[in-house]
Amino acid sequence: MVFSSQIFLFVFLPLCIFGAYLVRPDFRKYFLILASLAFFAWTGKRPLALFVIFALVNYGMGLLQGRLRDNEGLGKKIANWLAIVSNVAFLLAFRYLPFFTNILASITGAELPKIELPVLLGVSFFVFSAISYQYDIYYNKIAPQKNIADFLLYISFFPKLLQGPITRAGEFSAQLANNKLNLDNLSRGVYRFTMGLAKKVIIADQLGAMVDQIFANPANANGVSIAWLGAFGYAMQIFFDFSGYTDMAIGLGQMLGFDLPENFNLPYLSLNISDFWRRWHITLSSWFRDYVFYPLEFKRRKQKVFRTESNTLIVFFLTGFWHGAGWQFIVWGIWHGVFSSLEAFLRAKKVKTKAPKIVRYLVTMLIVLVGWVLFRSPGIKYGLQYLGVMFGLVKPIETGLTLGWHLNGKVAFTLLLAVLACIPWKQWMPNLFEKLADSKLNDPIRLVAFLILLGFSIMMVMSSTYNSFIYFKF
Amino acid sequence: MRSSISKIFISIVFFAILIIPVAVSDKVGGAVSPFENRYLAKFPSVIVNKNQIAPGLKEGFEAWLKDNLVGRVEAQKAKAYIDFKLFASSPSPLVHIGEGGWWFFTNDRNLEIGQGTHLLSNEELEAISENQEAIRSSLKEQGIDYVLVLVPSKASVYPEYMKGGNYQVGPTLIDQVSTYLQENTTVPVINIKPNLIDAKNEQDVYFRTDTHWNHTGAYIAYKTIIEKSNYFGMIKTQPISHATEPATHNGDLSAMMGYPGLLPTEPFEATAIQTPHAFLVSDSEKVSRVKRLIADHDIVGEYFSYSNPSAEKSALILGDSFFLTWKIPDLFAENFAEMNFIRTDIVVNDIIQAINPDIVILERTERYIYTLANPANVRLEPAHQEDLSADVVSHNTPTAVERGESYNVNIMVKNTGDWAWSEDDQIRLCIFQDGKDFGYRINLPEGVKVDPGQDYTFVLYNFRVDDGDTTYLEYQMIKEGYQYFGEKERVDIVVK
């Protein structure tokens, strides 16, 4: 059940929000647990059962770790090791098993039995939440959650369940303890949710149709300009899709009295790759920083040469792999890792670039764009060939298609809208926005913007149900 | 937002927009959406067998919700209007906006077909050849001529009007297939494309706002087929002359974009047959039989039959939407004593046998040409070899009945053929009422076998008439899905 689907928007969301406001405050968390499990159950009964088992096992392991937290012996380490390894194993099994099976089969040439496990949507997100929970208990950053309902809600809270933001147990528990529903939160949430929905259905989905067409062609069947359009369109699509989804998640959280962490901060204004990763999918970057990078730095603290660089590369390798069970994701991660490592190396050597900002910006965006092509491609070979076309290294076959085939009025307008939405108007024109914030026009302008975006978004969602059967086959 | 009124306002508006479309929706569903030309999804059953949750409830509920949200049609119209008027873009990926007021259907790789970039593989071509050769030889054995007619996509005839490239008329999928069949099989193939290309400089041969050809293009196709069939020696009849009259047409591409009134009404010259000799036959035993066979083979397309006493020979045309209308059936009906049309891509021997035509014409449009490679579309095995025959020996049908009163009727039938009857072979007694087969059957009980020469008494339980002053029943044996057989006994009944 995605947030922009009809079933979520027109049924689940109103029922859930009204339910949360109507139930007694002391029952609210139980209601939210039920709602979250119902949300997850939409993917199937077996996934739900697995998810509940996963949550209960983590709850139990958290308690076990808590019991051993004052134990300086091996028991504490083993309990933590068990907790982390079982979570990683769960993630590998339910997300990466076919990937590893294929690798094994291609190496050995053997025909391996096909193991079909149910698809667990959002597994990467909720497993990472669980790992951070176990890790934080081990390092005494948080106490294990004794209240099973509180723990279940942390793991299953539906706004963040499928696509994040990845929340930390400590932050969530504090918010749960002070959870308040009021008009302020509700209206903030409604506004934020609507912005996210608009990003998703007005920009991302519209660009997605064009991008899908381009990437459905053989890599060398797109001309140079079309290949660049596809890459640029995808860069915009993925940002507005993901950040739109995050806005919806944050908005839902606000409606229910929770402040979920921000995930994006104008990533397409980054001046280098390290900067990009401080602005893009912030909760994932910080997760890898806290739970992989820092421990690696500590563990290898005696290594003086290329420690940070190699650790950075490891983190980006894992970041790529986390995004998908395919070599293209790994290559994408390494691509970013190489530049991040290089930047770390230059920082360590205190080398300062003298290149003007605009050059640094363009180079960064080029690296990001190349990365997105690899990320979007169905495989590495395709991605490299596509990039070859973009940079004139591969001669595209003549299909007769020109840029105009894909870049129609609607796509051009949507791209323009996307670019305008990436500009930090508030930062660039602080005076104007300050004046506006203080003026009487502030509310009316925001209201009009809200109504327009909500109206258009609902129109897009509803119109997607149109299904003409004038020709089905004939 | 600072003021509480603004906060309340946006919260109320937000939830009202989400709740109202569901709150006032059709909770039953299943209505017809003329806009989309389909039935909307019904509200699913929640509980089945007293205490079990209905399987597919989730999917059914989502389908109902999507189809019955109030405002969805208006939303689609608004979106279509904005896309079209504001951005000059097609509101639907199904439709491509071309140059000069030409619009193209995009599905089934139609545009790539027009560009000449979508061709079939050798394996597919071989599969088509095998199927076509099998049809031709099977029909030849039955003394029936066969011709394959290939109709080009609009994009193949008017590629120069597609945007986004410099496209010109050239070899496309239809040419690839027709050339391959002509070089590798003995199947007579008629490719309409060259004739349409020749004619297009004089006048439009396709509608600009529709997927299909206009009456001019359709007449060219008809004329080409008749002339080529003469050339092949299959028929000896000439294309009829026709008149034209100004008419207008609302193209199908408009509705495909989600707004039937989006594109302008298009003027065209409609074909008029001044003195038609053919007439539609809607109520005959043969038509009923063919309809049942069509249903038995799960063919959902339209079927109609024409009779023309002034012509000779009979034809069966199997085709798609290009032959369904545009006056094509009426034109062909003028050339044949009997002309049957079925909208299908399946060649079924039982249906051909039931119709028993002199010539079978299979028409396929370019974007569906791949279906010719599908072996499931060629059903040539005779359904039955057995000799089925029957006599109605006796029955006790009352010739006068009380309105609303129930009667049991015994009908004794003798197997006069060489094949034993049983329910395993789906051999049953068919009851016609007022000349129509409403599907009422009396089955042989499980395990009962009626050998050749034996009698069997079927019992028609609870026969009653509620309406009308008279009615009549007819009894005839049937091998389900294939044929009625044996004597047909009629009884006229007065209703008191």
Side-chain angles (χ1 to χ4, degrees):
Chain A
M1 205 193 298
V2 295
F3 295 160
S4 53
S5 66
Q6 291 85 9
I7 186 76
F8 183 85
L9 284 171
F10 296 104
V11 179
F12 188 86
L13 189 155
L15 284 179
C16 183
I17 302 297
F18 281 137
Y21 277 76
L22 291 174
V23 295
R24 273 170 40 186
D26 48 337
F27 282 143
R28 191 176 300 139
K29 70 179 167 196
Y30 303 106
F31 173 80
L32 288 177
I33 292 168
L34 282 178
S36 298
L37 293 180
F39 177 82
F40 196 80
W42 211 253
T43 62
K45 279 182 268 181
R46 282 182 72 200
L48 175 67
L50 282 162
F51 177 73
V52 171
I53 292 167
F54 166 85
L56 293 177
V57 167
N58 267 290
Y59 171 72
M61 286 192 297
L63 290 182
L64 179 68
Q65 283 211 83
R67 194 165 279 190
L68 297 170
R69 68 192 310 183
D70 298 326
N71 182 344
E72 290 303 318
L74 206 57
K76 181 181 172 183
K77 274 191 177 165
I78 289 174
N80 180 249
W81 186 85
L82 258 179
I84 303 294
V85 168
S86 59
N87 274 304
V88 172
F90 187 87
L91 179 60
L92 291 178
F94 285 97
R95 190 156 157 86
Y96 298 100
L97 192 66
F99 178 71
F100 289 123
T101 314
N102 286 343
I103 291 173
L104 203 61
S106 63
I107 291 171
T108 60
E111 212 169 285
L112 297 169
K114 209 174 176 184
I115 304 165
E116 292 211 356
L117 294 173
V119 175
L120 293 185
L121 292 179
V123 64
S124 315
F125 288 92
F126 62 74
V127 166
F128 267 37
S129 292
I131 290 175
S132 70
Y133 171 71
Q134 302 293 352
Y135 192 96
D136 287 353
I137 294 174
Y138 180 76
Y139 283 102
N140 292 330
K141 289 182 186 171
I142 56 168
Q145 185 54 263
K146 288 181 182 158
N147 185 321
I148 189 165
D150 288 6
F151 180 76
L152 271 178
L153 188 57
Y154 162 64
I155 285 290
S156 68
F157 189 51
F158 76 86
K160 63 155 184 86
L161 182 60
L162 300 185
Q163 287 196 40
I166 301 168
T167 47
R168 308 289 173 88
E171 296 165 9
F172 192 83
S173 296
Q175 293 199 30
L176 182 58
N178 299 309
N179 179 257
K180 274 189 191 125
L181 301 185
N182 54 40
L183 182 62
D184 254 8
N185 284 339
L186 183 69
S187 59
R188 265 195 321 136
V190 162
Y191 200 85
R192 186 73 184 261
F193 184 90
T194 304
M195 297 300 124
L197 183 65
K199 277 180 171 180
K200 165 90 177 122
V201 298
I202 296 177
I203 297 180
D205 289 353
Q206 303 310 308
L207 292 178
M210 178 268 291
V211 170
D212 287 350
Q213 272 186 5
I214 292 175
F215 278 86
N217 293 333
N220 62 347
N222 295 311
V224 177
S225 56
I226 294 174
W228 276 95
L229 176 69
F232 182 64
Y234 183 64
M236 289 300 167
Q237 183 204 345
I238 193 169
F239 172 60
F240 282 95
D241 192 284
F242 196 9
S243 71
Y245 199 93
T246 303
D247 286 342
M248 287 189 267
I250 291 173
L252 286 165
Q254 287 169 342
M255 287 184 222
L256 296 167
F258 292 85
D259 274 320
L260 298 178
E262 294 291 340
N263 236 355
F264 295 90
N265 178 23
L266 304 166
Y268 289 151
L269 292 183
S270 308
L271 293 175
N272 55 56
I273 294 302
S274 311
D275 187 25
F276 176 78
W277 281 98
R278 281 190 291 273
R279 296 162 175 268
W280 178 273
H281 205 170
I282 296 165
T283 57
L284 180 74
S285 309
S286 59
W287 192 97
F288 272 110
R289 183 196 63 209
D290 294 347
Y291 300 108
V292 181
F293 182 76
Y294 287 163
L296 276 175
E297 285 281 284
F298 181 74
K299 209 161 214 172
R300 302 169 72 191
R301 59 191 177 278
K302 287 176 187 162
Q303 183 186 325
K304 298 292 175 206
V305 185
F306 292 124
R307 185 191 69 223
T308 301
E309 293 79 357
S310 57
N311 288 339
T312 304
L313 210 52
I314 290 169
V315 164
F316 274 97
F317 166 82
L318 293 173
T319 303
F321 196 42
W322 179 89
H323 278 83
W327 288 107
Q328 69 272 34
F329 300 111
I330 295 173
V331 171
W332 170 77
I334 292 173
W335 170 257
H336 277 268
V338 165
F339 289 102
S340 286
S341 299
L342 187 65
E343 285 166 12
F345 175 76
L346 293 175
R347 266 198 307 275
K349 297 286 173 202
K350 299 199 167 125
V351 176
K352 281 199 174 172
T353 174
K354 287 174 186 167
K357 253 187 180 180
I358 183 71
V359 173
R360 281 187 282 148
Y361 174 72
L362 289 174
V363 169
T364 305
M365 288 305 110
L366 192 63
I367 293 166
V368 170
L369 204 64
V370 168
W372 285 140
V373 170
L374 294 168
F375 191 90
R376 175 61 180 79
S377 298
I380 296 171
K381 196 176 159 197
Y382 183 100
L384 292 177
Q385 201 175 19
Y386 190 103
L387 288 169
V389 173
M390 279 173 71
F391 292 100
L393 302 171
V394 172
K395 194 170 180 239
I397 54 170
E398 186 51 58
T399 60
L401 282 178
T402 61
L403 188 67
W405 183 266
H406 298 287
L407 191 61
N408 58 35
K410 190 168 69 174
V411 170
F413 176 79
T414 312
L415 279 173
L416 180 68
L417 205 63
V419 170
L420 291 175
C422 284
I423 293 173
W425 297 105
K426 258 187 184 176
Q427 288 176 28
W428 286 10
M429 292 187 265
N431 293 339
L432 178 72
F433 278 86
E434 274 170 30
K435 270 185 192 167
L436 196 64
D438 295 335
S439 81
K440 284 180 183 171
L441 285 175
N442 183 54
D443 272 13
I445 287 174
R446 284 169 67 90
L447 276 177
V448 169
F450 166 79
L451 289 173
I452 290 172
L453 290 177
L454 181 64
F456 272 94
S457 302
I458 294 297
M459 180 188 81
M460 302 302 271
V461 172
M462 277 195 169
S463 64
S464 68
T465 64
Y466 181 76
N467 190 4
S468 171
F469 271 84
I470 289 160
Y471 294 100
F472 64 103
K473 187 98 167 133
F474 287 96
Chain B
M1 300 280 173
R2 280 177 312 209
S3 78
S4 294
I5 294 172
S6 301
K7 290 171 188 170
I8 292 169
F9 178 76
I10 71 160
S11 302
I12 289 176
V13 168
F14 179 78
F15 285 102
I17 282 185
L18 298 186
I19 291 166
I20 290 171
V22 183
V24 298
S25 64
D26 176 2
K27 304 296 184 304
V28 178
V32 172
S33 166
F35 193 50
E36 293 154 290
N37 201 20
R38 67 182 176 96
Y39 287 99
L40 300 176
K42 285 184 179 172
F43 195 91
S45 305
V46 179
I47 301 289
V48 290
N49 298 334
K50 289 186 180 172
N51 54 5
Q52 282 182 322
I53 292 178
L57 176 61
K58 188 187 87 175
E59 292 76 12
F61 182 74
E62 281 201 70
W64 166 81
L65 180 73
K66 283 182 180 180
D67 274 3
N68 294 281
L69 281 171
V70 169
R72 56 188 287 279
V73 170
E74 290 71 23
Q76 173 57 30
K77 277 187 176 178
K79 182 181 172 291
Y81 194 83
I82 290 167
D83 284 350
F84 187 70
K85 298 286 183 190
L86 205 62
F87 301 120
S89 300
S90 172
S92 165
L94 291 175
V95 181
H96 168 74
I97 304 178
E99 307 276 4
W102 284 84
W103 301 70
F104 296 90
F105 184 55
T106 62
N107 246 18
D108 309 306
R109 306 180 72 177
N110 221 4
L111 302 186
E112 287 163 87
I113 288 172
Q115 293 156 12
T117 54
H118 173 50
L119 298 171
L120 295 185
S121 65
N122 272 337
E123 289 74 26
E124 288 169 311
L125 291 168
E126 276 170 27
I128 290 176
S129 299
E130 274 177 31
N131 285 344
Q132 288 302 305
E133 200 62 86
I135 296 169
R136 190 203 62 79
S137 61
S138 168
L139 293 178
K140 193 178 178 188
E141 278 174 22
Q142 299 172 56
I144 301 169
D145 287 318
Y146 173 66
V147 61
L148 174 68
V149 173
L150 300 176
V151 174
S153 281
K154 182 166 138 185
S156 288
V157 179
Y158 290 101
E160 65 274 22
Y161 290 115
M162 287 192 287
K163 270 185 185 166
N166 182 26
Y167 305 111
Q168 298 300 323
V169 169
T172 61
L173 184 59
I174 194 172
D175 305 305
Q176 183 202 23
V177 173
S178 68
T179 304
Y180 188 91
L181 290 173
Q182 280 160 358
E183 288 174 356
N184 295 284
T185 70
T186 56
V187 176
V189 182
I190 301 173
N191 178 357
I192 311 288
K193 184 174 158 186
N195 298 60
L196 292 170
I197 302 260
D198 286 347
K200 77 172 198 180
N201 292 329
E202 302 294 323
Q203 55 200 316
D204 286 356
V205 291
Y206 280 72
F207 285 114
R208 295 179 181 217
T209 60
D210 198 290
T211 320
H212 301 91
W213 47 29
N214 58 19
H215 284 208
T216 307
Y219 183 79
I220 289 165
Y222 155 75
K223 191 165 172 277
T224 306
I225 294 164
I226 294 291
E227 285 172 353
K228 291 255 181 171
S229 301
N230 271 291
Y231 173 78
F232 292 142
M234 296 169 179
I235 55 172
K236 285 182 183 165
T237 170
Q238 295 307 309
I240 61 157
S241 58
H242 71 300
T244 59
E245 52 195 35
T248 55
H249 177 68
N250 291 312
D252 59 6
L253 296 172
S254 195
M256 271 186 229
M257 290 190 292
Y259 195 158
L262 207 56
L263 296 178
T265 301
E266 194 174 345
F268 73 104
E269 289 298 316
T271 297
I273 302 168
Q274 283 172 322
T275 49
H277 297 94
F279 55 89
L280 263 175
V281 181
S282 56
D283 193 14
S284 78
E285 188 187 316
K286 188 173 180 180
V287 167
S288 300
R289 190 161 74 238
V290 173
K291 280 183 179 171
R292 282 204 60 78
L293 286 167
I294 288 170
D296 289 341
H297 281 274
D298 296 327
I299 294 170
V300 293
E302 294 87 339
Y303 162 63
F304 34 78
S305 178
Y306 286 88
S307 180
N308 179 1
S310 68
E312 294 174 354
K313 289 202 168 187
S314 63
L316 165 62
I317 300 178
L318 307 169
D320 52 39
S321 58
F322 273 80
F323 266 42
L324 178 66
T325 175
W326 330 111
K327 278 288 182 192
I328 290 236
D330 307 75
L331 289 166
F332 275 106
E334 293 301 311
N335 289 85
F336 293 98
E338 184 187 320
M339 200 288 284
N340 290 274
F341 173 83
I342 305 172
R343 181 165 151 172
T344 183
D345 53 4
I346 305 170
V347 180
V348 182
N349 196 55
D350 295 328
I351 295 174
I352 293 169
Q353 282 188 340
I355 292 173
N356 192 25
D358 296 304
I359 178 170
V360 171
I361 298 170
L362 175 63
E363 176 269 323
R364 198 97 298 247
T365 190
E366 195 170 8
R367 66 193 167 91
Y368 292 138
I369 234 166
Y370 68 92
T371 63
L372 295 172
N374 183 357
N377 287 346
V378 184
R379 303 177 191 173
L380 297 173
E381 287 301 311
H384 56 88
Q385 301 289 339
E386 62 267 33
D387 177 18
L388 295 169
S389 181
D391 279 345
V392 179
V393 179
S394 64
H395 59 86
N396 61 351
T397 317
T399 51
V401 297
E402 294 284 339
R403 195 183 313 276
E405 197 77 17
S406 294
Y407 299 87
N408 291 342
V409 181
N410 296 332
I411 307 123
M412 184 188 284
V413 186
K414 182 173 187 157
N415 183 349
T416 56
D418 295 335
W419 190 265
W421 303 343
S422 72
E423 180 54 27
D424 289 347
D425 289 331
Q426 294 186 301
I427 294 174
R428 298 160 182 164
L429 180 67
C430 172
I431 314 290
F432 297 80
Q433 187 166 7
D434 296 330
K436 291 191 174 63
D437 177 2
F438 293 107
Y440 196 87
R441 304 284 186 269
I442 308 174
N443 297 1
L444 289 164
E446 286 294 323
V448 169
K449 200 170 165 189
V450 183
D451 287 321
Q454 279 188 338
D455 297 334
Y456 183 81
T457 301
F458 294 90
V459 183
L460 169 62
Y461 290 104
N462 297 321
F463 165 63
R464 58 183 262 176
V465 185
D466 293 322
D467 302 310
D469 297 327
T470 61
T471 186
Y472 68 95
L473 296 182
E474 290 167 292
Y475 310 123
Q476 190 178 25
M477 293 301 294
I478 182 171
K479 178 167 170 58
E480 211 65 73
Y482 298 105
Q483 66 175 138
Y484 304 97
F485 64 91
E487 184 191 6
K488 190 176 190 181
E489 178 78 4
R490 170 172 170 156
V491 192
D492 290 287
I493 301 164
V494 176
V495 184
K496 293 178 184 169

